Amino acid sequence: MTRIAVGGFLHETNTFAPTKATYEAFVHGGGWPSMTHGADVLKVMRGINVGLAGFIEEAETRGWELIPTIACGASPSAHVTKDAFERIVGEMIDGIRAALPLDAVYLDLHGAMVTEHLDDGEGEITRRVREVIGPDIPFVVSLDLHGNISPETVEYTDALIAYRTYPHVDMADTGRACARHMELLLAGNRFAKAFRQLPFLIPISWQCTNDEPTKSIYQKLAALEHDQVPTLSFCPGFPAADFPHCCPSVFAYGVTQADADAAADTIVKLVMGHEDDFDGRIYRPDEGVLHAMELAKTLTKPVVIADTQDNPGAGGDSDTTGMLRALVKNKAIKAAHGVIYDPAAAKAAHEAGEGATVKLSIGGKSGIPGDAPYENTFVVEKLSDGKFVAPGPYYGGRDMDMGLSACLRIDDVRVIISSHKAQLADQSMYRYVGIEPTEQNILVNKSSVHFRADFEPIAGKLLICAAPGAMPADTSVLPWKHLRPGIRLKPNGEPFTPQTSSPALVP
């Protein structure tokens, strides 16, 4: 029987964010399933939208024996601590070593992990795996579309396959694609690699694959796959990781080097031709709320606003208060906002009880410039233990645990307070505290794009607002120090000039 070691370790690192990812963050998982070990991995990673679940399901149809190691993820944040990285990778590598001899290894990684002691988390993980298994055992990795991919990660693996949707509704499908490519490798096929890094950063708000230009780019990418080029990927990248390989990239695998190069170069040319199009309208908080209020007068569905700069899916702490202030200040009607992470306020609401009127200071604790706690008197409308299922296309049926939570009301504005953070990307994240999202005029979601998978069908209009937060919508305003010289800090932006020399950008 074919024996394949499997595991997962996912983190998207915003090196400018206020809070690091500790080991405990991975134990809980945030929006990811809780950390699982050994045989439990095969029990937990089923029927949900993650790469490892898709790989497991596809592998079992082929009769492969899977040897699970560890599976975990944490909400995007600042650096992964050295302690967390070494403990998790240590368990993963020990599990792979103990499972030898193996026929192959599959890992579900992110591609944009930076740790306290390593710029390139995935490069180090794949290096350690290759060191244990040797040069000949097939090694395949699924990656997030936001991966910042290094040449080392390409070198140490036989194939990297990235998601093709943002919102990421195809994470499990990507795991299945990895299993199909693994089957080719197990049959003795080996493929040439082509890797390209692009010379400008793409803000995440304009990476959505429901819209142009990204939609057409991925359609062309899929059309270029065939027997000679079994897999081809484009990562727009995560533009908030201050290290030399933070940039979009393309990687292709072909029967010949010419096949791989031609496919990669076609996608690079296509992306470069759309540089002008990776941009769009972003509203200031008051401006966005007033526009939403005007739109709501004639719409029968909610106006949904992305509080994009405090997206916990991009490293924000999900606790800034700029959009809440704008809703209250402008007297928004039938408006709801979520989720603000504030365990102390959630505990106080529970102590006060449903129906109570309580003075609270909520959010604003992560030290973001221009932000502060919001103090006012609220009605506690609904309390929750924070446990529910998120059935929408992004979370894909995951069990969620937001901890002690509450729906607070001030005038006709409702705000969700939680004790754990995860980006608001599912309608259930309103319903679990008694808010029916389809009945609101305005919904303000702490998310950038993932919310669109579940909210576009119920939205009359989508807007993007930029209140203070850890993930600027304009990537050029971040205090970069370690990017590659010459990379443009946004589409058609100024080139980066480092204080000291760094490696030249890969052409």
Side-chain angles (χ1 to χ4, degrees), residues 8-24:
F9 182 20
L10 296 101
H11 190 262
E12 183 176 73
T13 306
N14 179 338
T15 60
F16 306 101
T19 305
K20 293 183 179 181
T22 63
Y23 185 81
E24 290 70 28

Side-chain angles (χ1 to χ4, degrees), residues 16-87:
F16 306 101
T19 305
K20 293 183 179 181
T22 63
Y23 185 81
E24 290 70 28
F26 290 95
V27 171
H28 179 271
W32 296 101
S34 301
M35 183 184 290
T36 53
H37 310 268
D40 285 343
V41 171
L42 300 184
K43 299 174 183 176
V44 172
M45 294 295 172
R46 290 181 182 276
I48 56 176
N49 184 32
V50 297
L52 186 52
F55 185 89
I56 290 170
E57 293 166 8
E58 194 79 9
E60 288 180 345
T61 66
R62 290 162 166 75
W64 297 342
E65 179 186 1
L66 301 180
I67 299 90
T69 57
I70 184 173
C72 61
S75 292
S77 66
H79 305 72
V80 176
T81 64
K82 181 178 180 180
D83 169 70
F85 181 86
E86 294 299 338
R87 288 169 70 179

Side-chain angles (χ1 to χ4, degrees), residues 284-321:
R284 297 184 300 275
D286 287 335
E287 179 186 30
V289 168
L290 288 170
H291 184 45
M293 291 170 65
E294 191 63 28
L295 289 169
K297 293 177 181 178
T298 57
L299 294 173
T300 58
K301 294 181 178 181
V303 178
V304 184
I305 299 175
D307 185 4
T308 186
Q309 296 195 150
D310 192 36
N311 173 14
D317 269 356
S318 197
D319 81 333
T320 64
T321 60

Side-chain angles (χ1 to χ4, degrees), residues 107-351:
L107 295 181
D108 188 17
L109 304 178
H110 184 282
M113 181 190 296
V114 183
T115 77
E116 288 180 324
H117 61 311
L118 298 163
D119 278 347
D120 180 16
E122 284 81 8
E124 179 64 12
I125 294 168
T126 55
R127 185 194 68 79
R128 294 187 191 185
V129 170
R130 185 57 76 188
E131 188 175 65
V132 167
I133 66 176
D136 300 323
I137 292 178
F139 179 18
V140 176
V141 172
S142 55
L143 293 170
D144 194 292
L145 172 152
H146 294 114
N148 295 318
I149 312 306
S150 69
E152 289 76 17
T153 304
V154 176
E155 176 188 351
Y156 296 130
T157 56
D158 291 289
L160 303 171
I161 302 179
Y163 313 156
R164 294 181 178 179
T165 62
Y166 182 36
H168 301 329
V169 297
D170 69 329
M171 291 186 280
D173 286 342
T174 304
R176 296 183 185 101
C178 286
R180 293 191 293 270
H181 192 83
M182 183 74 81
E183 188 169 48
L184 296 175
L185 296 171
L186 290 169
N189 297 287
R190 289 296 180 268
F191 299 98
K193 307 172 184 179
F195 177 58
R196 308 285 188 268
Q197 291 176 312
L198 281 76
F200 63 94
L201 300 181
I202 302 174
I204 60 172
S205 293
W206 314 121
Q207 295 181 11
C208 180
T209 57
N210 295 352
D211 296 336
E212 300 297 348
T214 320
K215 180 178 180 179
S216 293
I217 291 170
Y218 279 100
Q219 289 173 342
K220 178 65 173 179
L221 184 146
L224 287 171
E225 285 187 339
H226 48 73
D227 289 345
Q228 296 299 110
V229 182
T231 188
L232 172 63
S233 293
F234 165 50
C235 284
F238 183 62
D242 195 12
F243 84 117
H245 297 300
C246 178
C247 61
S249 61
V250 175
F251 31 103
Y253 300 87
V255 172
T256 68
Q257 191 63 53
D259 292 328
D261 287 338
D265 290 340
T266 297
I267 296 301
V268 168
K269 183 179 179 181
L270 184 59
V271 175
M272 295 297 295
H274 281 293
E275 184 169 0
D276 291 348
D277 301 323
F278 287 107
D279 201 358
R281 177 71 186 272
I282 298 176
Y283 294 85
R284 297 184 300 275
D286 287 335
E287 179 186 30
V289 168
L290 288 170
H291 184 45
M293 291 170 65
E294 191 63 28
L295 289 169
K297 293 177 181 178
T298 57
L299 294 173
T300 58
K301 294 181 178 181
V303 178
V304 184
I305 299 175
D307 185 4
T308 186
Q309 296 195 150
D310 192 36
N311 173 14
D317 269 356
S318 197
D319 81 333
T320 64
T321 60
M323 290 308 301
L324 176 60
R325 292 174 192 277
L327 290 169
V328 176
K329 172 186 172 184
N330 293 291
K331 302 185 184 304
I333 304 298
K334 295 179 68 175
H337 181 26
V339 175
I340 290 183
Y341 165 66
D342 191 331
K347 181 181 179 183
H350 276 255
E351 290 172 348

